[in-house]
Amino acid sequence: MRAERIILCLCLAGAATCTVAAPRPFLAIFTEHTPPSSMTVNGQITGFATEKVRAVMARAGIDYRIDMLPWTRALALATSQPDTCLYSTTRTSERDKLFKWVGPTHENDWTMFARADRGIRLASLEDARKLRIGAYNGDVRGETLQGEGFSVDSVRDNFSNPRKLMAGRIDLWVTSLRVGKTISRELGWPQEIVPVLTFKRTELYLACHPSVSDALIARMNSALQAMNREGVSKEIEHRFDFWGIEPNRASVP
């Protein structure tokens, strides 16, 4: 039972001896639609990051609910409401003190996509400075590029960017290699939209509101570390073809 105390009373020799079990903790967890990390299949939220989070919760003895929301709303809830967490979250200096961190759950890349028929070639990120770059609201890639003076056009969801790319309204789309290829395939443009530059790698986390106790954060991190040691995390990744779409590590800073 969630948050209720279970009281077992045994009457012995006319007296009551009661054992009180502590309630299981409960977390409201938010994510966004970023296949193959988190997505809805047959009404169920799944994906390799989702299944890792579910396994962590089971091992740590935590009851939970996962809701899929637009990223900006999910981020706002996770920073304002107690007992909430958010994945998959890039850990930056600006965000560091906003959350307590579980992970990293996996690595991620920052990749530029373009229309194949445009013939865009980028030798470095600087080559993209004069081009229009599509991102989505609240995404760390778009915010970082905008802060560095790039021309960034943000939209409410990541699915709008490949449509804008195909319509010629943007020149580039910044996302991750896995997400970009998965979404392009889902929209029917697996050959028409191609990666042209992977320029950064980051680590992603389950980010929790500061109200979540240090003891609970330690339990979740311990559970994740055990999953990594035992090969459970790798098994989940292979189940979702995590390594089937992977940039050349040697070429990525």
Side-chain angles (χ1 to χ4, degrees), residues 55-89:
V56 165
M57 296 301 124
R59 287 180 176 233
I62 300 170
D63 290 334
Y64 66 96
R65 182 188 73 248
I66 297 178
D67 289 319
M68 183 172 287
L69 301 171
W71 181 253
T72 50
R73 185 181 174 198
L75 183 62
L77 289 172
T79 53
S80 63
Q81 294 190 2
D83 299 321
T84 56
C85 297
L86 172 69
Y87 73 96
S88 297
T89 310

Side-chain angles (χ1 to χ4, degrees), residues 54-248:
R54 292 190 188 280
V56 165
M57 296 301 124
R59 287 180 176 233
I62 300 170
D63 290 334
Y64 66 96
R65 182 188 73 248
I66 297 178
D67 289 319
M68 183 172 287
L69 301 171
W71 181 253
T72 50
R73 185 181 174 198
L75 183 62
L77 289 172
T79 53
S80 63
Q81 294 190 2
D83 299 321
T84 56
C85 297
L86 172 69
Y87 73 96
S88 297
T89 310
T90 303
R91 188 170 184 173
T92 65
S93 57
E94 294 79 13
R95 292 174 175 174
D96 196 60
K97 294 182 179 179
L98 296 176
F99 297 104
K100 293 180 180 178
W101 301 88
V102 178
T105 55
H106 60 286
E107 289 187 339
N108 199 21
D109 60 89
W110 296 18
T111 296
M112 294 286 193
F113 283 78
R115 276 175 47 173
D117 62 2
R118 288 283 305 277
I120 293 175
R121 299 289 182 266
L122 303 178
S124 70
L125 185 58
E126 279 302 307
D127 292 342
R129 189 165 290 279
K130 294 182 179 180
L131 300 176
R132 298 164 299 170
I133 303 170
Y136 68 97
N137 294 338
D139 181 55
V140 67
R141 302 174 189 84
E143 290 179 345
T144 299
L145 290 171
Q146 193 165 33
E148 294 177 359
F150 287 83
S151 176
V152 177
D153 185 7
S154 295
V155 292
R156 293 186 60 184
D157 68 90
N158 220 4
F159 276 75
S160 297
N161 283 307
R163 295 186 178 101
K164 290 176 67 177
L165 197 65
M166 292 302 294
R169 293 168 57 196
I170 55 175
D171 304 303
L172 298 168
W173 167 32
V174 63
T175 184
S176 75
L177 192 64
R178 295 182 186 90
V179 170
K181 287 198 169 186
T182 301
I183 291 178
S184 298
R185 184 170 60 243
E186 286 186 8
L187 293 177
W189 298 312
Q191 307 301 323
E192 290 81 359
I193 297 176
V194 296
V196 293
L197 178 71
T198 295
F199 60 96
K200 188 172 183 177
R201 292 193 72 88
T202 59
E203 294 177 328
L204 295 181
Y205 291 77
L206 175 70
C208 296
H209 189 274
S211 62
V212 179
S213 71
D214 290 343
L216 206 57
I217 296 295
R219 275 164 57 182
M220 289 188 281
N221 271 309
S222 178
L224 180 60
Q225 290 161 11
M227 288 165 52
N228 294 340
R229 288 194 306 270
E230 296 165 11
V232 174
S233 296
K234 289 287 187 185
E235 187 277 327
I236 292 172
E237 291 169 356
H238 281 292
R239 210 187 326 151
F240 289 89
D241 198 26
F242 182 88
W243 301 107
I245 304 174
E246 178 73 2
N248 183 352

